[in-house]
């Protein structure tokens, strides 16, 4: 039964977490392109698709810790430090995705979609830099759709991806494990 749970756990991680990490990483540059050219419908469609991939596969990603917990129970390693650290990092990664990445993707997507209906641009002064913002996006969503928002999103996405990479390393190396690497 252990091998069965382990296979399902690894497959779930590949199928569910992989697409989220890739799509989330592609979103900030796509948002920058879409914000730079509000009339580009293809850029807006790409953002919608990337966000949808992130949302759907994040939901499917619930299977990863569930199957991981079942695997750990069958292996008898629930108290091992590497597993506890992995579970904590998985929880933090989920929190980063749900609280920081997905909401910011939605905000940027709303700004792009609001700006897609108008070609007029307005100069908006920020505290540090003047950025060009689509008038419709700023008026409709109240979001300062500037490149800095995409940079913050890229940072949060990078943190999410780094957390998952760390969990993957812990799952493979299993420091202090008696089952070997």
């Amino acid at each position: 039964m252990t091998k069965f749970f382990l296979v399902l756990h690894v497959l779930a991680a590949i199928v569910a977490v992989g697409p989220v990490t890739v799509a989330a990483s592609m979103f900030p540059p796509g948002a920058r392109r879409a914000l730079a050219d509000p009339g580009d419908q293809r850029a807006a469609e790409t953002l919608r698709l990337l966000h949808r991939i992130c949302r759907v596969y994040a939901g499917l990603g619930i299977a990863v810790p569930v199957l991981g917990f079942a695997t750990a129970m069958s292996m008898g390693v629930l108290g091992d430090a590497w597993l506890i650290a992995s579970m904590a990092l998985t929880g933090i990664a989920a929190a980063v995705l749900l609280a920081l990445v997905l909401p910011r993707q939605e905000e940027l997507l709303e700004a792009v979609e609001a700006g897609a209906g108008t070609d007029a641009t307005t100069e908006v002064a920020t505290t540090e830099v003047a950025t060009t913002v689509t008038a419709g996006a700023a008026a409709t969503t109240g979001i300062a759709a500037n490149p800095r928002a995409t940079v913050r999103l890229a940072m949060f996405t990078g943190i999410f991806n780094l957390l998952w990479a760390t969990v993957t390393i812990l799952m493979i190396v299993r420091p202090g494990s008696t089952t070997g690497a």
Side-chain angles (χ1 to χ4, degrees):
M1 202 62 172
T2 300
K3 289 181 182 180
F4 177 71
F5 284 137
L6 183 58
V7 167
L8 289 179
H9 172 62
V10 171
L11 285 174
I14 292 168
V15 170
V17 178
V20 174
T21 59
V22 173
S25 296
M26 293 173 65
F27 193 95
R32 282 190 284 279
R33 278 190 299 276
L35 290 169
D37 185 6
D40 187 356
Q41 290 299 319
R42 186 171 182 178
E45 290 170 5
T46 300
L47 283 186
R48 278 191 291 278
L49 175 64
L50 291 173
H51 180 62
R52 187 175 190 188
I53 290 169
C54 290
R55 273 193 350 255
V56 169
Y57 284 92
L60 295 174
I62 299 295
V64 177
V66 169
L67 291 167
F69 188 77
T71 304
M73 277 183 38
S74 68
M75 290 175 67
V77 294
L78 279 176
D80 288 6
W82 63 270
L83 184 66
I84 294 168
S86 294
M87 289 188 301
L89 292 173
T90 298
I92 294 168
V96 167
L97 181 65
L98 296 175
L100 300 173
V101 174
L102 292 177
R104 281 171 176 75
Q105 283 184 351
E106 289 171 11
E107 290 173 356
L108 285 166
L109 187 56
E110 287 174 11
V112 167
E113 288 175 341
T118 178
D119 290 330
T121 58
T122 304
E123 292 295 321
V124 178
T126 62
T127 55
E128 297 176 23
V129 182
T131 58
T132 303
V133 178
T134 304
T140 305
T141 64
I143 298 166
N146 62 43
R148 295 177 74 199
T150 62
V151 170
R152 282 189 296 274
L153 175 59
M155 177 188 67
F156 293 134
T157 301
I159 291 168
F160 170 76
N161 291 343
L162 183 60
L163 288 165
W164 273 114
T166 305
V167 169
T168 302
I169 291 166
L170 285 172
M171 290 289 127
I172 294 168
V173 175
R174 299 177 294 192
S177 171
T178 58
T179 60

